[in-house]
Amino acid sequence: QKEVEQNSGPLSVPEGAIASLNCTYSDRGSQSFFWYRQYSGKSPELIMSIYSNGDKEDGRFTAQLNKASQYVSLLIRDSQPSDSATYLCAVLAYSGAGSYQLTFGKGTKLSVIP
Amino acid sequence: EAQVTQNPRYLITVTGKKLTVTCSQNMNHEYMSWYRQDPGLGLRQIYYSMNVEVTDKGDVPEGYKVSRKEKRNFPLILESPSPNQTSLYFCASSLTVGQPQHFGDGTRLSIL
């Protein structure tokens, strides 16, 4: 069973601060990594995808991937109250016989305090 | 508008009464998937399909069936629903298996 681990939180940061969300995964052969944001009662929406080691920036969001450490993170700069949501890490790995498995972490709840 | 459409959005039914949750996407995506989301357990994949007539089990397939006869549609079938299948269900699609997924709005099922 492939595992994706996230701190459940809640993670509380003041408005304007940097929020750091972390995710570790068990399958060293994992290929694709995604961060989704989910507001309460709503469907997940994609924030970032990352496929190779290093940093990827998109506006206030930066995803960082370290395959050697099996670690992926999401940084949110200048956090806003509207960023308050649950953030889901998802990892795609090949599971053999032409099959792939996309595993989600249980999510980290972020609260941005005005 | 590019979207994944699930129906119904809400359903209350009784144990053993067969039901189908429909999912349709208008983006010509090859990959489609069903998830259930439960408090404390997160999103878990039920079944996925990499293309027409190609389906495979996810983490929690027991009690569910799917079919992919057309590229745009991927219905989820509960032949004999039980209370432990009460959950929030999401359908998602992506261009291919490695691409980010677009999620539908969700279907909240309550099985009494």
Side-chain angles (χ1 to χ4, degrees):
Chain A
Q1 183 77 359
K2 304 181 194 308
E3 296 183 348
V4 175
E5 302 286 343
Q6 298 180 252
N7 288 328
S8 61
L11 173 67
S12 294
V13 300
E15 183 173 356
I18 295 175
S20 177
L21 305 164
N22 304 315
C23 174
T24 58
Y25 57 94
S26 63
D27 189 333
R28 188 170 286 278
S30 296
Q31 303 166 326
S32 306
F33 307 84
F34 309 96
W35 283 100
Y36 289 86
R37 177 176 63 198
Q38 186 176 26
Y39 293 112
S40 181
K42 301 295 185 182
S43 59
E45 54 181 336
L46 181 74
I47 298 293
M48 296 279 287
S49 57
I50 187 166
Y51 302 95
S52 55
N53 277 332
D55 294 359
K56 180 181 178 183
E57 187 173 319
D58 183 1
R60 296 186 295 112
F61 299 94
T62 299
Q64 300 174 316
L65 175 61
N66 184 326
K67 289 187 176 181
S69 300
Q70 296 174 235
Y71 174 90
V72 57
S73 66
L74 180 70
L75 300 178
I76 307 174
R77 289 182 299 281
D78 188 23
S79 295
Q80 300 298 308
S82 59
D83 294 326
S84 298
T86 297
Y87 289 80
L88 306 174
C89 173
V91 176
L92 181 74
Y94 182 64
S95 54
S99 298
Y100 291 82
Q101 185 171 348
L102 182 65
T103 304
F104 281 80
K106 294 179 182 178
T108 297
K109 187 170 184 178
L110 173 66
S111 180
V112 180
I113 312 299
Chain B
E1 180 189 349
Q3 58 185 0
V4 178
T5 303
Q6 295 179 229
N7 280 297
R9 293 289 316 280
Y10 305 90
L11 179 63
I12 301 174
T13 188
V14 296
T15 299
K17 185 176 181 182
K18 180 179 178 180
L19 67 91
T20 299
V21 185
T22 63
C23 175
S24 180
Q25 51 91 5
N26 63 359
M27 296 168 280
N28 202 35
H29 284 173
E30 289 186 350
Y31 185 87
M32 297 187 74
S33 183
W34 275 103
Y35 300 89
R36 61 178 290 174
Q37 188 171 38
D38 303 288
L41 297 177
L43 266 172
R44 294 179 293 167
Q45 193 174 49
I46 302 170
Y47 270 95
Y48 65 92
S49 169
M50 293 182 66
N51 215 326
V52 177
E53 301 291 3
V54 180
T55 63
D56 209 346
K57 296 177 181 178
D59 294 323
V60 288
E62 295 78 20
Y64 304 95
K65 286 176 58 177
V66 293
S67 67
R68 186 92 181 274
K69 293 182 174 16
E70 308 165 277
K71 200 170 190 178
R72 63 182 293 128
N73 296 323
F74 190 45
L76 179 69
I77 302 158
L78 285 70
E79 293 267 2
S80 183
S82 62
N84 64 10
Q85 293 176 299
T86 293
S87 187
L88 177 59
Y89 291 84
F90 289 105
C91 180
S93 74
S94 60
L95 192 59
T96 63
V97 64
Q99 299 299 309
Q101 296 192 30
H102 300 252
F103 282 80
D105 288 338
T107 296
R108 190 167 291 280
L109 279 183
S110 293
I111 299 162
L112 307 177

